[in-house]
Amino acid sequence: VAKQYGFWIMKNYRESYGMYCCNGILFNHESERRGENFVTRKITLAVARIAQGFQDKLYLGNLNSLRDWGYAKDYVECMWLILQQPKPDDYVVATGQYHTVREFCTLAFKEVGIELEWRGEGVKERGIVKSVSPQLQTSNSKLQTGDILVEVDPRYFRPAEVDQLLGDPTKAKTTLGWNPNKTSFEELVRIMVQHDIKKVRKLYLREQLND
């Protein structure tokens, strides 16, 4: 609701007073700086902890939710380009592609050497270890084939869930020359997971020193 107000008040001031005002309608922009309560960061942190033996399981809501996830760094570049134009205007900032929460989760675990197999449906769906890389088997994780790493918890279902979010970045591409897919979805997941592996490791070492 607040975003709708922001959009229309911006247009109103631009059209009424000739002010240089632009709207950027940003779809989900993720990065290693994302808040830990957002689903993408919740996944990458959990994957990093599970891979290093500090967490047993990850609980998620609707695995079928489709989101247009892009890299925040690329979106900031687009925001800058918007403000360089001689005429103020409004733009959708998105990748034009969407993926499920399940896909994000699968890629995140794959990044640390864990291949997941999904079984069941709805609230009974589970993410189960199909295979573990030899390198990970020698770490603190002690993971084995058949271990359940992901479960669905209805507490995380949103009362006003939007099942599908997809943006059309055509205007930003053609007018600004912006590349919405500069950082691929796979690379985005990799960046976030690698960051959180280092973060978890540092926290563990810090605790060890304090002990």
Side-chain angles (χ1 to χ4, degrees):
V1 172
K3 289 177 181 178
Q4 283 287 311
Y5 171 82
F7 177 85
W8 288 107
I9 199 69
M10 191 77 78
K11 288 178 69 74
N12 181 270
Y13 271 76
R14 182 172 67 212
E15 294 169 5
S16 299
Y17 305 108
M19 296 176 67
Y20 190 99
C21 301
C22 302
N23 278 305
I25 304 170
L26 275 63
F27 278 67
N28 297 61
H29 37 296
E30 313 297 322
S31 80
E32 60 273 35
R33 297 175 182 269
R34 190 54 140 154
E36 295 180 12
N37 58 321
F38 288 87
V39 68
T40 51
R41 193 76 195 290
K42 178 181 177 180
I43 291 170
T44 58
L45 272 170
V47 166
R49 290 176 182 135
I50 289 170
Q52 297 179 69
F54 305 122
Q55 185 171 326
D56 297 323
K57 231 174 246 187
L58 168 62
Y59 295 91
L60 295 170
N62 185 4
L63 296 172
N64 293 314
S65 288
L66 286 158
R67 293 293 181 266
D68 187 331
W69 281 305
Y71 190 30
K73 184 178 180 180
D74 297 341
Y75 282 31
V76 171
E77 178 189 11
C78 188
M79 292 158 63
W80 182 83
L81 288 169
I82 290 170
L83 296 175
Q84 308 314 304
Q85 304 310 300
K87 181 183 177 182
D89 206 346
D90 306 325
Y91 297 85
V92 171
V93 185
T95 70
Q97 302 173 359
Y98 57 22
H99 303 271
T100 62
V101 171
R102 186 186 297 101
E103 287 179 77
F104 194 104
C105 203
T106 300
L107 278 176
F109 275 102
K110 187 177 180 180
E111 181 63 29
V112 297
I114 302 170
E115 186 178 356
L116 286 185
E117 180 180 10
W118 298 93
R119 298 179 191 170
E121 295 181 2
V123 295
K124 293 184 178 180
E125 186 168 3
R126 305 284 186 270
I128 300 169
V129 176
K130 184 177 181 181
S131 65
V132 182
S133 69
Q135 184 179 358
L136 195 60
Q137 287 177 327
T138 60
S139 69
N140 294 330
S141 63
K142 310 300 182 190
L143 290 173
Q144 296 181 354
T145 301
D147 286 348
I148 298 173
L149 298 187
V150 186
E151 290 193 21
V152 175
D153 189 333
R155 290 181 302 170
Y156 296 118
F157 289 172
R158 292 179 175 180
E161 177 68 85
V162 179
D163 292 328
Q164 175 180 312
L165 286 175
L166 180 65
D168 182 359
T170 302
K171 184 177 178 180
K173 288 170 64 177
T174 56
T175 305
L176 308 175
W178 179 62
N179 179 8
N181 305 115
K182 184 176 180 180
T183 304
S184 68
F185 174 65
E186 292 77 12
E187 179 66 9
L188 168 63
V189 176
R190 189 194 70 79
I191 289 169
M192 294 181 67
V193 171
Q194 289 300 325
H195 172 274
D196 285 338
I197 286 172
K198 293 176 184 175
K199 177 184 173 69
V200 170
R201 188 177 296 133
K202 285 180 182 178
L203 289 173
Y204 171 72
L205 291 174
R206 190 177 302 160
E207 290 175 2
Q208 291 289 93
L209 288 172
N210 290 336
D211 289 344

